């Protein structure tokens, strides 16, 4: 469905009046013969264009009909999995991080967790519960600002960073029921401060402190993962590199009157080396796929949920599993989480470490440079980037 409109009309009338917004100039192309623009409607009726531009928080507050673009399609991958495992506190492994340097049995538990579930709940990690509450508080204060105030930090076109709804990368994409604030947090000299909230005033101070703590924990986890396979403890860290980075995704899931029809986040695995998720303290929603079933990840007070990212799955030659996970929303409560993605350096490619390639366990993945663009292109189409790296 497309129609032709002139460039002047778009710029002078539609844009200025604000009655008709266009998602992205990427979706407009010049019709060379008559210098008109062809506007691709991306399968959305004009009256639903608001759903492409407004944040989900605004749509949720003022909508009596679910916009088409959010409705899950029956033929999407994993949609035929109806057998949903109960949220069971004893199922998702709980690992005591303070024991990993000294206890063999805790290291074995870690290995078992990441080779089966691909995720675990980290306790006794050394970050005070009261500080985690502070991180939750600044996230909440940001999302509670007025829509107008938050829009000061809107993502720019073709840029990942900033505040916004699900990024549209394909015509067939079903939108996630979520708004996000996406920031490069480390190294600090790569922070794009124009996207960092000024309000609450301590936002940057709290987030910086949190990320510095997580960076240290990430190092400890990467060492423990190597030791759990009887490898030299720096073998993952060496590939991770000294010019690694960290991305923060603050996720806001508004309540939705049609919780069965949408997903907060579609099924995916993370493109990081390791992801540290600070869950909402009261509202569950995260599910992990294991043995053909979705399992709810319960809230464990003061724990951090740690996911193996696709890049560690590659480095471990497939021994560690980067779990497929998704987020459900509910009709009553908002949910706020913070995912920190620890990303290896991009100057060098990553690949399976030498010690893990044997005659019995041949190399499963090519050496790859895992760019953010590469990841998101696959993600929005519901595909795993790691599958594109298989030999
Ligand atoms: O909000 C959550 O529980 C998970 C979010 C997530 O998977 C992500 O941001 O990659
Ligand atoms: Fe994720």
């Amino acid at each position: 469905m497309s129609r032709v409109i002139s460039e002047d009309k778009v710029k002078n009338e539609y844009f200025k009046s604000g009655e008709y917004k266009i998602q992205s100039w990427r979706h407009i192309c010049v019709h060379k013969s008559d210098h008109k623009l062809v506007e691709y409607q991306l399968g959305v009726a004009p009256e639903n264009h608001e759903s492409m531009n407004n944040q989900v928080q605004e749509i949720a507050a003022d909508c009596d009909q679910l916009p088409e673009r959010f409705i899950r399609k029956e033929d999407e991958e994993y949609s035929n999995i109806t057998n949903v495992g109960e949220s069971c506190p004893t199922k998702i492994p709980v690992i005591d991080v303070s024991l990993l340097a000294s206890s063999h049995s805790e290291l074995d538990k870690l290995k078992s967790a990441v080779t089966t579930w691909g995720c675990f709940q980290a306790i006794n990690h050394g970050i005070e519960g009261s500080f985690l509450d502070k991180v939750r508080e600044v996230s909440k204060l940001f999302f509670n600002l007025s829509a107008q105030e938050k829009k000061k930090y809107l993502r720019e076109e073709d840029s990942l960073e900033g505040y916004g709804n699900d990024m549209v990368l394909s015509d067939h994409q079903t939108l996630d029921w979520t708004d996000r604030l996406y920031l490069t947090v480390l190294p600090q000299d790569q922070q794009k401060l124009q996207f960092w909230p000024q309000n609450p005033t301590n936002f940057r101070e709290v987030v910086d402190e949190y990320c510095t703590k997580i960076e240290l924990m990430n190092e400890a986890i990467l060492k423990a993962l190597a030791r759990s396979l009887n490898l030299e403890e720096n073998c993952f860290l060496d590939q991770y590199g000294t010019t690694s980075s960290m991305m923060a995704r603050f996720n806001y899931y508004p309540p939705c009157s049609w919780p069965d029809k949408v997903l907060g986040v579609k099924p995916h695995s993370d493109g990081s080396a390791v992801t540290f998720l600070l869950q909402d303290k009261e509202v569950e929603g995260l599910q992990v796929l294991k043995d053909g079933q979705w399992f709810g990840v319960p809230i464990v007070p003061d724990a951090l949920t740690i996911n193996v990212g696709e890049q560690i799955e590659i480095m471990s030659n497939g021994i560690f599993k980067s779990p497929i996970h998704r987020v459900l929303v509910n009709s009553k409560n908002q949910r706020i989480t913070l995912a920190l993605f620890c990303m290896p350096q991009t100057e060098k490619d990553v690949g399976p470490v030498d010690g893990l390639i044997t005659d019995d366990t041949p190399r499963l993945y090519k050496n790859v440079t895992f760019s953010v663009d590469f990841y998101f292109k696959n993600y929005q189409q519901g595909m795993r980037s790691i599958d594109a790296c298989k030999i």
Side-chain angles (χ1 to χ4, degrees):
M1 184 171 49
S2 67
R3 65 198 175 99
V4 180
I5 47 177
S6 75
E7 186 171 9
D8 282 353
K9 201 169 173 68
V10 173
K11 284 198 173 141
N12 298 332
E13 288 182 37
Y14 293 157
F15 262 167
K16 275 201 187 133
S17 72
E19 67 174 72
Y20 198 104
K21 297 182 209 146
I22 287 167
Q23 168 68 11
S24 154
W25 288 104
R26 220 187 340 215
H27 303 304
I28 311 256
C29 70
V30 177
H31 199 279
K32 290 209 175 66
S33 57
D34 56 4
H35 299 283
K36 298 271 175 69
L37 292 172
V38 178
E39 183 199 356
Y40 292 97
Q41 302 276 354
L42 299 168
V44 180
E47 62 270 22
N48 274 349
H49 251 249
E50 280 304 288
S51 68
M52 310 280 293
N53 295 286
N54 274 8
Q55 312 319 315
V56 179
Q57 193 170 9
E58 292 168 76
I59 296 168
D62 182 25
C63 108
D64 47 23
Q65 211 190 339
L66 182 61
E68 189 69 29
R69 293 279 300 179
F70 292 94
I71 300 177
R72 293 161 61 180
K73 300 185 188 75
E74 295 207 337
D75 59 353
E76 274 167 16
E77 214 175 348
Y78 312 111
S79 61
N80 57 348
I81 301 173
T82 48
N83 199 1
V84 176
E86 289 294 300
S87 160
C88 170
T90 56
K91 284 243 161 76
I92 308 284
V94 176
I95 301 292
D96 185 332
V97 175
S98 71
L99 296 178
L100 287 175
S102 59
S103 157
H104 279 292
S105 71
E106 204 63 20
L107 214 52
D108 283 346
K109 259 173 78 183
L110 173 71
K111 181 177 164 185
S112 157
V114 291
T115 52
T116 55
W117 289 91
C119 65
F120 58 93
Q121 307 269 29
I123 58 165
N124 294 330
H125 42 60
I127 305 181
E128 292 282 329
S130 57
F131 183 69
L132 295 178
D133 286 345
K134 225 165 151 182
V135 179
R136 289 190 182 98
E137 184 62 16
V138 293
S139 316
K140 188 168 162 190
L141 286 172
F142 170 71
F143 286 115
N144 281 354
L145 294 175
S146 68
Q148 202 187 5
E149 180 72 18
K150 287 195 292 273
K151 282 182 181 173
K152 288 184 187 161
Y153 309 102
L154 264 191
R155 195 176 61 216
E156 281 162 8
E157 186 181 342
D158 286 337
S159 157
L160 270 178
E161 281 195 57
Y163 170 66
N165 55 3
D166 201 9
M167 216 172 27
V168 179
L169 292 179
S170 112
D171 294 9
H172 310 291
Q173 173 189 337
T174 304
L175 295 183
D176 291 342
W177 188 261
T178 185
D179 295 329
R180 305 178 173 118
L181 174 67
Y182 198 68
L183 300 172
T184 299
V185 284
L186 289 176
Q188 284 188 2
D189 63 7
Q190 280 179 30
Q191 293 179 349
K192 295 191 180 135
L193 292 180
Q194 69 269 32
F195 298 119
W196 284 64
Q198 304 272 337
N199 190 352
T201 50
N202 60 345
F203 181 91
R204 187 168 171 219
E205 180 194 323
V206 172
V207 172
D208 274 347
E209 186 178 340
Y210 179 57
C211 296
T212 307
K213 289 176 194 285
I214 294 290
E215 194 184 27
L216 288 175
M217 198 190 314
N218 181 47
E219 245 180 71
I221 296 291
L222 288 175
K223 284 185 179 174
L225 286 174
R227 283 191 292 114
S228 80
L229 296 178
N230 295 319
L231 295 168
E232 199 282 307
E233 75 170 1
N234 287 321
C235 73
F236 295 135
L237 262 178
D238 287 346
Q239 286 207 42
Y240 189 72
T242 49
T243 55
S244 54
S245 60
M246 196 188 287
M247 307 292 301
R249 192 148 88 180
F250 297 81
N251 299 301
Y252 177 84
Y253 307 99
C256 178
S257 306
W258 306 269
D260 299 336
K261 289 201 161 60
V262 305
L263 282 175
V265 184
K266 63 180 76 58
H268 68 286
S269 43
D270 295 340
S272 56
V274 182
T275 305
F276 294 80
L277 181 74
L278 178 62
Q279 288 220 61
D280 193 288
K281 214 168 176 179
E282 278 142 29
V283 184
E284 292 181 0
L286 177 62
Q287 292 188 322
V288 176
L289 185 65
K290 180 170 178 286
D291 303 332
Q293 278 194 311
W294 290 111
F295 290 89
V297 179
I299 294 162
V300 175
D302 300 338
L304 290 164
T305 305
I306 299 188
N307 281 345
V308 169
E310 293 181 347
Q311 301 202 52
I312 289 287
E313 178 164 341
I314 291 173
M315 290 183 211
S316 74
N317 201 29
I319 296 178
F320 300 146
K321 305 286 181 240
S322 179
I324 291 171
H325 52 286
R326 68 176 187 180
V327 175
L328 304 183
V329 295
N330 69 74
S331 57
K332 293 203 176 62
N333 301 304
Q334 63 178 29
R335 178 169 180 266
I336 299 176
T337 65
L338 168 57
L340 290 185
F341 303 102
C342 297
M343 308 297 288
Q345 62 185 6
T346 47
E347 292 88 4
K348 278 203 328 215
D349 44 15
V350 296
V353 301
D354 289 343
L356 296 175
I357 303 173
T358 66
D359 287 346
D360 292 338
T361 56
R363 173 189 269 270
L364 294 181
Y365 297 103
K366 301 178 247 193
N367 275 29
V368 285
T369 309
F370 223 88
S371 77
V372 172
D373 283 353
F374 170 68
Y375 176 80
F376 275 104
K377 207 166 143 243
N378 288 309
Y379 169 72
Q380 300 297 20
Q381 290 170 15
M383 283 165 10
R384 298 182 79 198
S385 306
I386 197 168
D387 290 337
C389 305
K390 284 195 173 132
I391 284 181

